[in-house]
Amino acid sequence: MGRITDSGSDAKGGHRRSTTIKKQVTPSSWGERFKALNTVPPLLKMVYKSHRGFMVGTLALRLLSAVAPVAMLWIGKLIIEAVELYYRGGQPVDWSYLWTLVVIELVIATGAEIISRASNLMEGLLGEHFRNEVSVRLMVHSATLDVAQFEDADIYDQLERARQQTHKGIGFLRQLLGLVQSIITVLLLVAGFALFVPWLIVLLAASVVPAFFGETHFAALGYALQHRWTESRRLLSYLLYLAANDTAAKEVRLFGLSPYLVGRYREHADGFLLEGQSLAIKRNAVAALLTIIGSTALYGGYGVIIYYTIVGRVSPSGGLFTIGTLTFLMGSLRQSRGLLQGILLSLAGIYEQSLYIRDLFRFLDIEPQVRSKPDALPVPKPISAGFVLEGVSYKYPGSDTYALRDLEFALRPGESVALVGENGAGKTTLVKLLGRLYDPDEGRILLDGVDLRDYDLDDLHRNIGVIFQDFIRYSFLFKENIGAGLIERMDDDDRIRAAAINSLADEVAVDLPGGFDQQLGRRFDGGVDLSGGEWQKLALGRAYMRDAQVLILDEPTAALDARAEYDVFRRFTDLRRGRMAVLISHRFSTVRMADRILVLEAGEVVESGTHDALLAQPGVYAELFNLQAEGYR
């Protein structure tokens, strides 16, 4: 159950100023917790897919590294026993045997170091490939999701947690590989001292198991903490972005927003910090107590080994407890306990990481709602009958209020329709439905008599040229900003220049040092920024890149001066001939150029007609027109 401590209003109805944004997440039962480990196989599959050679090589090197500690302990035992024979038995030293053992241990130790370095190198390279693989998967999958899904805060939180796995995933892999290596080493060590004192295995387990359950429990609490603060942490990132970003710098300075932004940042950051600090203190206090219990069990085992050695006890396998045996068993017990502790803590860590990895796969499992049917139809070329809306209604997810309600109208080939209405009337929502960025909740949209949902989605989008009022200012080259409108023709300089001419963007390029090859935006070296109107001309150029049958312009000239606006629409009138066009504008000088005007109010069409016809009757359009005209008198 989510909890948002909040007050005020958001864009879709309700003021919203958060003081604390966090979602309550109750740690699951032990059974449910370990279900999170189901993410391990698909993760390994993803890592293996990112680079098979590095994956296999890394596993082989880890296997060799696992054997080395046991081999060195056993060689050490043999060396001590050889020396012990000289001191206790008075036998002559077998120098050849002794130096052979020393050389063998040297080779093992040196080889282990080289293998460790090679393993780190290979894992690092594997990590880079894995990061690229995950990043590409996220980009590709994100491109398939609906616009409405990106407007859902819960899904956006999942995306935020999934993004983090591009860096955390390889750490998870290292933990897994380290776990496998440690398990192999421990099994070899346990097999060794089981020959002498089998029941020490029970004592060894008693020294580490409590710590494992403690760490696993706190791992679940730690994940719950991170999960419920995801939205608040996104807010922290946003506040930091506003406070240290060139785009927002002007308003932050002029409006004196810095203290407000810093205050909100501290408020949220302190809340997260205090809760995390409390959890960390509890976690370490419990860990200290369990460490005392484990250490007591370990040294109890030491005492038993020392006693058996002094009294000269014979092991179950028939061997006498020697100083070499003492050294081997104490070293084995100490290393086994450390490794077992590491294994169990790694299991706790792997469990904790698997919860985050689960977020990655959960995001990748999100299915788009707006997509093509298996037998989708191509868009007719040319479109002959146009669009017909039949009882179309739409509500935003989580809202009880209709953004659009029972719309009925037609848009014919060669016709231009202007949408007029106050902010929030549903104009942009309507064009998103026409472009099938959303699907209606009720009713249907027909194109040439066929439901829009029956057409291939990609083909539909290729036939629509659109510019939204919140267009993106890409930090790309000038020509790439225009070419992005038709990505498969990004290298077609002639087409890009033609689109720039039609949108007047060519006049902007003339004044740039690099012309069409100029880097834009301040994000990269050599980049220059443009005015709002200049950026808008580039965005118009993107719409003109397409040989689209439908042109949709949402506030296309909001940042242009009067002369530029006139020139843009003079060219637009020529370009739209034979095409359907939808215009959204608050400027009535633009609106009056349309063949037909639809006036929206609270998501419904309340008036329809030409400029002159609507102006002649007392209604919403006439009222809005006269209010705007009054400002020019």
Side-chain angles (χ1 to χ4, degrees):
M1 175 69 68
R3 179 172 73 83
I4 300 179
T5 305
D6 226 329
S7 61
S9 153
D10 64 22
K12 291 192 179 104
H15 180 65
R16 186 174 171 196
R17 182 193 182 282
S18 168
T19 54
T20 302
I21 302 175
K22 57 181 180 178
K23 297 180 180 179
Q24 296 294 354
V25 179
T26 304
S28 52
S29 66
W30 283 99
E32 292 172 331
R33 288 175 179 180
F34 284 105
K35 283 182 181 178
L37 296 176
N38 291 337
T39 60
V40 173
L43 175 72
L44 291 176
K45 183 178 179 180
M46 187 183 290
V47 175
Y48 179 71
K49 182 180 177 182
S50 69
H51 199 289
R52 298 175 183 177
F54 287 150
M55 181 68 171
V56 173
T58 297
L59 288 172
L61 291 174
R62 285 282 190 169
L63 180 61
L64 291 173
S65 296
V67 176
V70 183
M72 289 180 67
L73 273 174
W74 190 259
I75 295 298
K77 170 184 178 298
L78 296 178
I79 290 173
I80 291 174
E81 287 179 342
V83 175
E84 186 182 7
L85 285 174
Y86 171 73
Y87 278 104
R88 294 178 62 176
Q91 299 182 19
V93 177
D94 186 347
W95 291 104
S96 176
Y97 172 70
L98 193 59
W99 291 122
T100 299
L101 292 175
V102 171
V103 170
I104 292 173
E105 184 166 345
L106 172 63
V107 170
I108 294 173
T110 305
E113 181 65 27
I114 294 172
I115 289 171
S116 176
R117 290 179 180 275
S119 179
N120 287 334
L121 171 62
M122 199 165 289
E123 287 174 26
L125 295 174
L126 181 61
E128 292 300 322
H129 283 276
F130 176 73
R131 271 189 284 272
N132 289 344
E133 176 73 15
V134 175
S135 297
V136 169
R137 285 280 298 273
L138 281 177
M139 292 171 70
V140 170
H141 185 67
S142 297
T144 69
L145 299 184
D146 308 334
V147 172
Q149 289 173 316
F150 278 99
E151 295 167 347
D152 186 309
D154 287 335
I155 291 180
Y156 205 83
D157 283 345
Q158 288 187 50
L159 172 60
E160 185 67 20
R161 290 192 292 271
R163 281 174 180 159
Q164 296 171 11
Q165 303 320 310
T166 58
H167 301 288
K168 289 184 177 180
I170 194 60
F172 184 44
L173 175 65
R174 285 181 182 272
Q175 281 187 309
L176 279 173
L177 293 173
L179 176 66
V180 172
Q181 177 182 329
S182 296
I183 288 174
I184 294 172
T185 303
V186 165
L187 289 175
L188 292 171
L189 289 170
V190 168
F193 66 68
L195 295 173
F196 298 93
V197 192
W199 60 266
L200 280 180
I201 298 173
V202 178
L203 192 63
L204 181 64
S207 70
V208 294
V209 169
F212 165 69
F213 285 104
E215 285 297 323
T216 304
H217 173 68
F218 280 102
L221 294 177
Y223 171 77
L225 171 66
Q226 296 290 334
H227 190 284
R228 66 175 172 269
W229 280 86
T230 300
E231 189 175 356
S232 193
R233 291 167 68 202
R234 277 201 294 115
L235 176 61
L236 290 174
S237 297
Y238 178 64
L239 292 171
L240 183 60
Y241 167 81
L242 287 178
N245 177 266
D246 59 339
T247 304
K250 298 185 291 294
E251 288 202 9
V252 169
R253 302 296 187 279
L254 290 173
F255 295 155
L257 292 176
S258 183
Y260 170 78
L261 296 175
V262 171
R264 288 196 70 183
Y265 186 93
R266 282 179 173 165
E267 180 183 7
H268 285 266
D270 288 349
F272 179 65
L273 179 64
L274 288 174
E275 192 169 346
Q277 179 178 286
S278 174
L279 180 61
I281 291 172
K282 292 176 182 176
R283 185 173 192 166
N284 282 276
V286 171
L289 176 61
L290 295 176
T291 298
I292 293 172
I293 296 172
S295 296
T296 302
L298 175 68
Y299 279 90
Y302 282 176
V304 171
I305 294 169
I306 293 170
Y307 173 76
Y308 285 174
T309 303
I310 291 175
V311 301
R313 180 164 179 154
V314 177
S315 68
S317 61
L320 185 67
F321 274 77
T322 64
I323 299 298
T325 305
L326 170 70
T327 306
F328 173 76
L329 288 177
M330 291 187 70
S332 295
L333 190 60
R334 182 175 60 252
Q335 283 203 33
S336 296
R337 195 246 177 165
L339 286 170
L340 264 180
Q341 197 167 42
I343 288 170
L344 296 180
L345 292 180
S346 289
L347 283 172
I350 286 170
Y351 157 70
E352 183 175 15
Q353 287 296 320
S354 68
L355 294 171
Y356 294 100
I357 296 295
R358 184 177 61 181
D359 289 328
L360 169 64
F361 288 110
R362 279 180 172 174
F363 178 76
L364 293 176
D365 285 340
I366 296 174
E367 293 287 344
Q369 301 302 308
V370 179
R371 53 186 170 183
S372 298
K373 295 180 178 179
D375 55 348
L377 303 172
V379 173
K381 294 180 182 178
I383 295 172
S384 58
F387 289 95
V388 175
L389 278 72
E390 297 181 346
V392 170
S393 299
Y394 181 79
K395 287 190 292 189
Y396 282 96
S399 174
D400 295 328
T401 304
Y402 280 96
L404 293 173
R405 181 66 169 167
D406 201 26
L407 295 189
E408 303 240 1
F409 72 89
L411 175 61
R412 304 302 180 187
E415 183 183 25
S416 63
V417 170
L419 305 179
V420 175
E422 297 182 274
N423 292 334
K427 304 183 295 297
T428 298
T429 303
L430 174 54
V431 298
K432 287 180 178 179
L433 286 167
L434 288 174
R436 210 183 162 214
L437 296 177
Y438 303 151
D439 277 337
D441 292 321
E442 301 169 15
R444 60 179 184 162
I445 301 175
L446 303 178
L447 178 60
D448 278 8
V450 177
D451 194 309
L452 208 59
R453 287 169 283 208
D454 291 333
Y455 288 111
D456 180 81
L457 188 59
D458 291 335
D459 194 37
L460 177 65
H461 290 165
R462 279 192 293 269
N463 280 275
I464 296 176
V466 61
I467 170 179
F468 289 107
Q469 57 184 321
D470 53 350
F471 60 85
I472 298 178
R473 305 179 181 196
Y474 295 101
S475 292
F476 295 162
L477 299 183
F478 184 96
K479 63 183 181 182
E480 291 172 338
N481 261 274
I482 297 176
L486 189 63
I487 197 68
E488 57 266 30
R489 303 294 292 273
M490 178 72 87
D491 297 325
D492 189 340
D493 289 344
D494 291 338
R495 192 181 186 100
I496 290 173
R497 288 181 182 275
I501 291 171
N502 289 330
S503 68
L504 303 181
D506 62 319
E507 298 175 358
V508 179
V510 170
D511 296 328
L512 297 176
F516 276 76
D517 292 311
Q518 176 65 51
Q519 172 68 47
L520 299 183
R522 300 291 187 184
R523 189 180 298 270
F524 302 108
D525 288 343
V528 299
D529 207 355
L530 304 178
S531 68
E534 290 170 332
W535 278 113
Q536 197 154 34
K537 289 176 182 178
L538 266 72
L540 277 167
R542 287 199 286 276
Y544 290 144
M545 272 293 291
R546 300 188 167 205
D547 187 19
Q549 299 192 75
V550 184
L551 289 173
I552 298 176
L553 305 183
D554 185 353
E555 293 290 356
T557 60
L560 299 181
D561 57 49
R563 184 180 297 278
E565 179 189 28
Y566 172 78
D567 289 338
V568 164
F569 275 101
R570 178 173 55 82
R571 298 192 185 195
F572 175 72
T573 301
D574 295 333
L575 288 166
R576 76 170 182 81
R577 285 196 175 95
R579 297 170 172 159
M580 289 176 283
V582 179
L583 303 174
I584 298 177
S585 180
H586 287 95
R587 295 188 182 183
F588 287 90
S589 57
T590 299
V591 169
R592 66 191 303 168
M593 299 171 66
D595 299 325
R596 187 156 48 100
I597 299 166
L598 301 180
V599 182
L600 277 77
E601 190 172 50
E604 299 183 17
V605 175
V606 294
E607 297 175 22
S608 176
T610 64
H611 170 76
D612 292 335
L614 292 176
L615 203 57
Q617 63 186 40
V620 176
Y621 183 84
E623 179 187 2
L624 293 175
F625 179 86
N626 290 323
L627 284 172
Q628 190 171 110
E630 185 67 30
Y632 291 99
R633 294 189 181 123

